[in-house]
Amino acid sequence: MLTFLSRRLIASILVLFVASYIVYVLAATAGDPLAELRTSTARNKQALIEQRIQELQLNVPAPLRYFLWLGDALRGNLGTNLQGQSVNTQVANAAGVTIQLLTASLVLAVIIGILIGITSALRQYSGYDYTVTFLAFLAFSLPSFFIAVVLKAYVGIAFNNFLGAPDIPWYLLIIIPLVLGFLWMGIIGGAAKTRWLVFGIATVVSFAVLLYIHLTNWLNYPGLSIVGVGLLSLGAGVLVHLLTAGSGNKKSLYTAVTVAVIGMAVYYPFMLLSDRLNLWTLLLLGVIAIVVGAAVGYFFGGHDRTQSARTGAITAFLAGGFIVIDRYMRAWPVYTQSSYINGRPIGTVGAVTPNLSEATSSFWILSLDSLTHLLLPTISLMLISLAAYSRYSRANLLDVMNQDYIRTARAKGVNERTVVMRHAFRNALIPLTTIVAFDVGGLIGGAIITETVFAWKGMGNLFNTALQQVDVNPMMGFFLVTGAVAIVFNILADLAYSALDPRIRVTV
């Protein structure tokens, strides 16, 4: 495997060098970087032209100038742009902005897309499957600028207006629960009696939640409380137990319940100490929670300690997430009533609210501001990727479910949960891994339209500006980052192959 990865890395680097040479020559000969100065009326125009020629080494032919640029790049210096600013700083700032979008949209698209694809594959040719297929093709076919503009107008601006006086109309109190009831009925499936029972429970619960939100002005003063965190943690733990271990593993169930109780026990201490936390301490607490959850599962043991430990780790992560979400909800009224926000929390322009950091140093307020500005562009990028991932995961799972080893497992009496989760699901992920690795490079460099609509200064904006100004150095900085990211994620995909399919570890 190490030899194989070394060959792939060397080949990828060689391809990156050749591609960078072609891109540099094409970009350098695409226009005149002195055009702006040639039309200038400044008295020292000729001196400025000579200065730029010397700074950008324009007196050297482009095919040879590439090697001068390459030498500086290998030493970590990407040069300056036409305005004399450091390209290293430009690329670092733009990459940080785009990575926020990339991480959030990619993770959500993969998780939600796989869940939708699996459930639609297991309910093939049902009403739920047809509905999901229609919506997926609709999202995939719509242009990205249209999705971004619609989200900005009807999710950002319209929802901000709604929050000024939140009042859920009576007809939505009826329609939304009915739609959710039919959705859960399609996902769960089963006999007619089971489906209608699921429909009734989901409809009643959804109606009760919406009515509670409506009567308590929950949208302006949200919160889960220790009871809500406990119930959500317990429900998530039981669901994780059923999916990963099955109903027969009682030790795994005990682990899920115990971890949920531990989550409730640390609720108030966390809230008391939350004002002293920052991002790194929060991540450290997350790691500790996962370790504690795995340790609880290992302690309960049973015939398969790994299953119990996995249940405990995932449940602990989810329980910690619910507690953090509740803390953000506590900060929501303070954030929305700030004079900088003025009751319009969903950001539609830029990555942060101007001057908010000067008014407060609260980690929760500032990170909540980043999240509200991240919401719309993330959804915009996520919808298109989610549609593709849901279709791929559905097709892959259907293909795997028809394989001989799946029929053999069923013939041996293995229960359906084990067949789907342990045998079929794992193998269905292999083709999807290739798609995700390929999409990362496209996402980090292909969000130009989304960044433009929402005024984010990311990699797409950097490339677009450099292209319009015929500014070679920022353009090459963009190319190096996107190329390096594509190489890294393709290597990670190779590692994922070997983890998902042991045969690959032998053949490579």
Side-chain angles (χ1 to χ4, degrees):
M1 174 60 72
L2 183 60
T3 303
F4 171 74
L5 292 177
S6 300
R7 291 200 306 266
R8 287 292 301 271
L9 180 60
I10 293 173
S12 299
I13 292 175
L14 290 176
V15 170
L16 182 63
F17 279 137
V18 173
S20 65
Y21 178 81
I22 295 173
V23 170
Y24 187 95
V25 173
L26 291 176
T29 56
D32 184 11
L34 301 175
E36 178 187 358
L37 295 178
R38 296 186 196 281
T39 58
S40 173
T41 58
R43 293 183 178 180
N44 61 340
K45 179 177 70 173
Q46 191 60 38
L48 293 175
I49 290 176
E50 293 296 331
Q51 180 182 0
R52 179 169 293 184
I53 290 175
Q54 294 299 321
E55 288 178 350
L56 301 180
Q57 300 171 323
L58 299 179
N59 52 346
V60 179
L64 299 178
R65 197 191 320 154
Y66 165 80
F67 296 99
L68 298 176
W69 170 87
L70 180 61
D72 291 336
L74 292 175
R75 290 191 294 269
N77 179 21
L78 297 177
T80 59
N81 63 3
L82 295 180
Q83 288 74 40
Q85 299 170 335
S86 171
V87 174
N88 289 48
T89 303
Q90 280 189 301
V91 170
N93 294 335
V97 170
T98 300
I99 286 173
Q100 293 183 54
L101 288 176
L102 173 66
T103 303
S105 62
L106 184 66
V107 170
L108 290 175
V110 170
I111 293 175
I112 299 175
I114 289 176
L115 289 175
I116 292 175
I118 290 174
T119 53
S120 60
L122 297 177
R123 300 288 174 261
Q124 188 182 17
Y125 302 135
S126 64
Y128 168 74
D129 184 28
Y130 287 126
T131 303
V132 167
T133 300
F134 170 76
L135 294 177
F137 279 111
L138 179 65
F140 191 75
S141 60
L142 291 175
S144 58
F145 72 86
F146 179 80
I147 294 178
V149 171
V150 168
L151 286 173
K152 188 172 183 178
Y154 294 101
V155 178
I157 298 174
F159 189 69
N160 280 333
N161 294 336
F162 170 75
L163 287 178
D167 181 34
I168 303 177
W170 64 267
Y171 56 88
L172 289 181
L173 289 173
I174 298 174
I175 294 175
I176 293 177
L178 289 174
V179 171
L180 292 176
F182 280 113
L183 176 66
W184 281 107
M185 182 176 69
I187 294 174
I188 302 300
K193 182 179 179 180
T194 302
R195 292 201 307 271
W196 286 110
L197 179 62
V198 170
F199 170 80
I201 294 174
T203 302
V204 170
V205 172
S206 301
F207 176 78
V209 171
L210 281 177
L211 187 62
Y212 175 80
I213 292 173
H214 175 69
L215 296 177
T216 61
N217 195 20
W218 188 87
L219 291 174
N220 282 331
Y221 299 93
L224 296 177
S225 77
I226 188 172
V227 176
V229 169
L231 291 175
L232 289 172
S233 301
L234 182 61
V238 172
L239 181 61
V240 170
H241 153 71
L242 292 175
L243 290 176
T244 61
S247 57
N249 191 340
K250 299 300 181 184
K251 301 294 184 179
S252 174
L253 177 61
Y254 299 154
T255 299
V257 174
T258 303
V259 171
V261 172
I262 293 175
M264 295 179 66
V266 302
Y267 176 85
Y268 285 117
F270 177 86
M271 293 301 171
L272 290 174
L273 299 173
S274 61
D275 289 335
R276 303 178 183 178
L277 300 178
N278 55 38
L279 177 61
W280 298 110
T281 54
L282 198 62
L283 292 175
L284 177 61
L285 289 176
V287 173
I288 293 173
I290 293 173
V291 172
V292 170
V296 171
Y298 188 83
F299 172 78
F300 276 107
H303 64 275
D304 192 343
R305 290 181 182 271
T306 304
Q307 286 185 345
S308 299
R310 182 168 59 241
T311 299
I314 298 175
T315 304
F317 175 78
L318 295 176
F322 294 138
I323 296 175
V324 172
I325 290 173
D326 186 60
R327 182 60 184 86
Y328 275 117
M329 288 180 174
R330 286 171 174 249
W332 180 260
V334 179
Y335 173 69
T336 56
Q337 294 168 14
S338 168
S339 59
Y340 293 92
I341 305 302
N342 198 24
R344 305 185 68 81
I346 307 301
T348 56
V349 175
V352 294
T353 300
N355 303 321
L356 180 63
S357 60
E358 300 175 4
T360 179
S361 59
S362 170
F363 164 75
W364 300 102
I365 297 296
L366 294 177
S367 57
L368 187 59
D369 181 64
S370 297
L371 290 173
T372 54
H373 283 80
L374 191 64
L375 178 65
L376 296 183
T378 296
I379 295 176
S380 178
L381 291 175
M382 180 192 72
L383 285 177
I384 299 174
S385 299
L386 183 149
Y389 295 152
S390 65
R391 293 298 87 198
Y392 281 121
S393 57
R394 177 185 181 274
N396 293 338
L397 187 61
L398 287 175
D399 180 63
V400 169
M401 294 293 284
N402 290 322
Q403 298 295 320
D404 291 339
Y405 65 89
I406 297 295
R407 284 192 288 267
T408 302
R410 285 172 170 165
K412 291 166 62 177
V414 178
N415 63 68
E416 191 65 14
R417 183 204 64 82
T418 304
V419 170
V420 174
M421 297 302 298
R422 180 167 294 186
H423 298 292
F425 175 65
R426 183 171 178 172
N427 289 294
L429 287 179
I430 296 176
L432 193 64
T433 303
T434 306
I435 307 294
V436 173
F438 180 77
D439 282 353
V440 169
L443 281 174
I444 198 171
I448 299 176
I449 295 175
T450 303
E451 290 180 4
T452 301
V453 172
F454 294 104
W456 277 60
K457 305 299 182 181
M459 295 295 289
N461 178 268
L462 175 68
F463 174 76
N464 191 35
T465 303
L467 190 64
Q468 291 177 353
Q469 297 177 353
V470 197
D471 200 348
V472 179
N473 287 341
M475 196 179 304
M476 293 305 298
F478 166 87
F479 178 82
L480 281 183
V481 171
T482 53
V485 168
I487 290 174
V488 170
F489 273 85
N490 274 281
I491 292 176
L492 292 177
D494 291 331
L495 294 174
Y497 297 152
S498 64
L500 293 170
D501 190 347
R503 295 172 299 177
I504 295 178
R505 277 173 267 176
V506 177
T507 56
V508 295

